[in-house]
mmCIF file of all heavy atoms in Angstrom:
data_model
loop_
_atom_site.group_PDB
_atom_site.id
_atom_site.type_symbol
_atom_site.label_atom_id
_atom_site.label_comp_id
_atom_site.label_asym_id
_atom_site.label_seq_id
_atom_site.Cartn_x
_atom_site.Cartn_y
_atom_site.Cartn_z
ATOM 1 N N VAL S 24 21.984 4.767 10.933
ATOM 2 C CA VAL S 24 22.129 5.658 9.782
ATOM 3 C C VAL S 24 22.108 4.867 8.479
ATOM 4 O O VAL S 24 21.407 5.232 7.532
ATOM 5 C CB VAL S 24 23.427 6.476 9.901
ATOM 6 C CG1 VAL S 24 23.695 7.236 8.597
ATOM 7 C CG2 VAL S 24 23.335 7.455 11.065
ATOM 8 N N THR S 44 18.261 6.106 -13.256
ATOM 9 C CA THR S 44 18.625 5.358 -14.460
ATOM 10 C C THR S 44 17.873 5.936 -15.647
ATOM 11 O O THR S 44 16.713 6.345 -15.522
ATOM 12 C CB THR S 44 18.296 3.866 -14.320
ATOM 13 O OG1 THR S 44 18.634 3.181 -15.532
ATOM 14 C CG2 THR S 44 16.830 3.639 -14.018
ATOM 15 N N PHE S 75 19.348 -3.667 -13.652
ATOM 16 C CA PHE S 75 19.405 -2.595 -12.659
ATOM 17 C C PHE S 75 18.250 -1.616 -12.859
ATOM 18 O O PHE S 75 17.612 -1.181 -11.888
ATOM 19 C CB PHE S 75 20.745 -1.867 -12.756
ATOM 20 C CG PHE S 75 20.947 -0.809 -11.710
ATOM 21 C CD1 PHE S 75 21.028 -1.137 -10.362
ATOM 22 C CD2 PHE S 75 21.046 0.533 -12.065
ATOM 23 C CE1 PHE S 75 21.208 -0.152 -9.389
ATOM 24 C CE2 PHE S 75 21.225 1.517 -11.100
ATOM 25 C CZ PHE S 75 21.310 1.167 -9.764
ATOM 26 N N GLY S 96 -3.429 -1.938 6.798
ATOM 27 C CA GLY S 96 -3.413 -2.637 8.080
ATOM 28 C C GLY S 96 -3.388 -1.692 9.261
ATOM 29 O O GLY S 96 -4.061 -1.926 10.277
ATOM 30 N N VAL S 98 -4.468 1.542 9.506
ATOM 31 C CA VAL S 98 -5.722 2.286 9.698
ATOM 32 C C VAL S 98 -6.837 1.362 10.175
ATOM 33 O O VAL S 98 -7.502 1.629 11.187
ATOM 34 C CB VAL S 98 -6.120 3.007 8.395
ATOM 35 C CG1 VAL S 98 -7.505 3.634 8.537
ATOM 36 C CG2 VAL S 98 -5.095 4.069 8.042
ATOM 37 N N ALA S 99 -7.046 0.261 9.454
ATOM 38 C CA ALA S 99 -8.142 -0.638 9.811
ATOM 39 C C ALA S 99 -7.878 -1.338 11.141
ATOM 40 O O ALA S 99 -8.762 -1.409 12.011
ATOM 41 C CB ALA S 99 -8.350 -1.678 8.712
ATOM 42 N N PHE S 160 -2.183 -5.409 14.026
ATOM 43 C CA PHE S 160 -2.326 -4.027 14.494
ATOM 44 C C PHE S 160 -3.469 -3.911 15.501
ATOM 45 O O PHE S 160 -3.374 -3.157 16.482
ATOM 46 C CB PHE S 160 -2.578 -3.099 13.307
ATOM 47 C CG PHE S 160 -1.353 -2.741 12.525
ATOM 48 C CD1 PHE S 160 -1.129 -3.289 11.275
ATOM 49 C CD2 PHE S 160 -0.413 -1.861 13.039
ATOM 50 C CE1 PHE S 160 0.002 -2.965 10.550
ATOM 51 C CE2 PHE S 160 0.728 -1.525 12.319
ATOM 52 C CZ PHE S 160 0.933 -2.081 11.075
ATOM 53 N N GLY S 185 -13.508 15.666 31.835
ATOM 54 C CA GLY S 185 -13.309 15.307 30.440
ATOM 55 C C GLY S 185 -14.299 14.253 29.987
ATOM 56 O O GLY S 185 -14.634 13.332 30.734
ATOM 57 N N SER S 189 -13.053 13.097 24.430
ATOM 58 C CA SER S 189 -11.914 14.011 24.578
ATOM 59 C C SER S 189 -10.740 13.334 25.276
ATOM 60 O O SER S 189 -9.580 13.543 24.896
ATOM 61 C CB SER S 189 -12.342 15.256 25.351
ATOM 62 O OG SER S 189 -12.710 14.927 26.684
ATOM 63 N N LEU S 221 4.035 -12.937 -3.625
ATOM 64 C CA LEU S 221 2.901 -13.017 -4.550
ATOM 65 C C LEU S 221 3.355 -12.807 -5.989
ATOM 66 O O LEU S 221 2.878 -13.478 -6.911
ATOM 67 C CB LEU S 221 1.846 -11.976 -4.163
ATOM 68 C CG LEU S 221 1.104 -12.215 -2.845
ATOM 69 C CD1 LEU S 221 0.165 -11.051 -2.541
ATOM 70 C CD2 LEU S 221 0.323 -13.519 -2.886
ATOM 71 N N LEU S 237 8.682 -10.751 -9.256
ATOM 72 C CA LEU S 237 8.620 -11.246 -10.618
ATOM 73 C C LEU S 237 10.010 -11.323 -11.238
ATOM 74 O O LEU S 237 10.312 -12.257 -12.000
ATOM 75 C CB LEU S 237 7.710 -10.349 -11.460
ATOM 76 C CG LEU S 237 7.498 -10.756 -12.915
ATOM 77 C CD1 LEU S 237 6.870 -12.138 -13.003
ATOM 78 C CD2 LEU S 237 6.634 -9.719 -13.635
ATOM 79 N N ARG S 243 14.949 -17.466 -12.240
ATOM 80 C CA ARG S 243 15.237 -18.740 -11.589
ATOM 81 C C ARG S 243 15.617 -19.833 -12.577
ATOM 82 O O ARG S 243 16.301 -20.791 -12.212
ATOM 83 C CB ARG S 243 14.038 -19.186 -10.759
ATOM 84 C CG ARG S 243 12.768 -19.400 -11.551
ATOM 85 C CD ARG S 243 11.600 -19.795 -10.670
ATOM 86 N NE ARG S 243 10.339 -19.813 -11.401
ATOM 87 C CZ ARG S 243 9.197 -20.211 -10.893
ATOM 88 N NH1 ARG S 243 9.155 -20.629 -9.642
ATOM 89 N NH2 ARG S 243 8.083 -20.187 -11.610
ATOM 90 N N VAL S 261 16.484 -8.224 0.326
ATOM 91 C CA VAL S 261 17.001 -8.536 1.661
ATOM 92 C C VAL S 261 17.495 -7.271 2.356
ATOM 93 O O VAL S 261 17.225 -7.052 3.546
ATOM 94 C CB VAL S 261 18.125 -9.584 1.566
ATOM 95 C CG1 VAL S 261 18.839 -9.739 2.902
ATOM 96 C CG2 VAL S 261 17.561 -10.930 1.131
ATOM 97 N N GLN S 272 13.309 -1.717 15.308
ATOM 98 C CA GLN S 272 13.930 -1.912 16.621
ATOM 99 C C GLN S 272 14.360 -0.582 17.222
ATOM 100 O O GLN S 272 14.222 -0.351 18.424
ATOM 101 C CB GLN S 272 15.129 -2.847 16.490
ATOM 102 C CG GLN S 272 14.780 -4.268 16.107
ATOM 103 C CD GLN S 272 16.017 -5.132 15.926
ATOM 104 O OE1 GLN S 272 17.139 -4.656 16.040
ATOM 105 N NE2 GLN S 272 15.810 -6.401 15.614
#
Side-chain angles (χ1 to χ4, degrees):
V24 171
T44 178
F75 184 65
V98 173
F160 281 107
S189 65
L221 292 176
L237 182 60
R243 61 182 172 175
V261 170
Q272 293 177 357

